[in-house]
Amino acid sequence: MKMKIAVASDDSISLTGHVGRCEMFLVFAVDGKNIIGVEQRPNSFTMHKQSHGHNGNEGRHSHEGIVAGLSDCRYLICSSAGPGIIADLASMGITTLLTEENTAETAVLQFLEGSLRVDESRTCKGHNH
């Protein structure tokens, strides 16, 4: 089955937390258990990345840009993410996978093999991370 899996990264190699402030998304095209391509998408999707702040929306920032920017992906793998972005992505059919695996390609391959260790306790509780 062909699909796309996004990975939040700052250096195009390793996973990063704070999805809204990551430098880029590595978007892996996969077919079955094989990676068939990878694309780098600079994180220009959110005001959160650009201004490092909230949009005045009662303390909650908008994730519309990031959700739209990853709309062709089925999964997002990252080291941590807040409950708001996880919910916003889920509402569009994108599942967020939180893991302590550090290398982007390894995380994708482990996911495809069914061996990626997902840790829901890595959900962010604040913005000092």
Side-chain angles (χ1 to χ4, degrees):
M1 171 173 50
K2 291 184 181 181
M3 69 174 151
K4 292 184 180 178
I5 301 170
V7 178
S9 183
D10 284 334
D11 61 7
S12 77
I13 297 169
S14 49
L15 274 72
T16 190
H18 208 294
V19 173
R21 290 188 182 155
C22 71
E23 291 298 319
M24 71 191 72
F25 294 94
L26 301 173
V27 178
F28 290 84
V30 300
D31 188 359
K33 294 186 177 186
N34 300 306
I35 295 171
I36 57 174
V38 64
E39 165 194 0
Q40 286 186 13
R41 292 185 189 170
N43 182 10
S44 59
F45 305 128
T46 65
M47 292 304 290
H48 192 50
K49 167 63 179 160
Q50 295 164 8
S51 67
H52 297 283
H54 299 276
N55 67 359
N57 202 5
E58 296 180 8
R60 188 175 190 286
H61 33 274
S62 172
H63 299 121
E64 290 174 12
I66 205 162
V67 171
L70 300 178
S71 64
D72 60 335
C73 298
R74 176 67 182 94
Y75 296 93
L76 169 64
I77 301 175
C78 56
S79 60
S80 63
I85 194 162
I86 292 171
D88 290 347
L89 288 166
S91 73
M92 295 303 293
I94 303 167
T95 301
T96 303
L97 304 170
L98 307 175
T99 184
E100 61 185 41
E101 171 55 51
N102 189 46
T103 305
E105 185 173 346
T106 300
V108 171
L109 290 170
Q110 286 177 353
F111 172 72
L112 295 174
E113 294 167 357
S115 64
L116 181 66
R117 188 164 169 242
V118 175
D119 183 356
E120 299 301 322
S121 71
R122 299 179 69 84
T123 303
C124 300
K125 309 293 189 273
H127 288 95
N128 297 321
H129 47 120

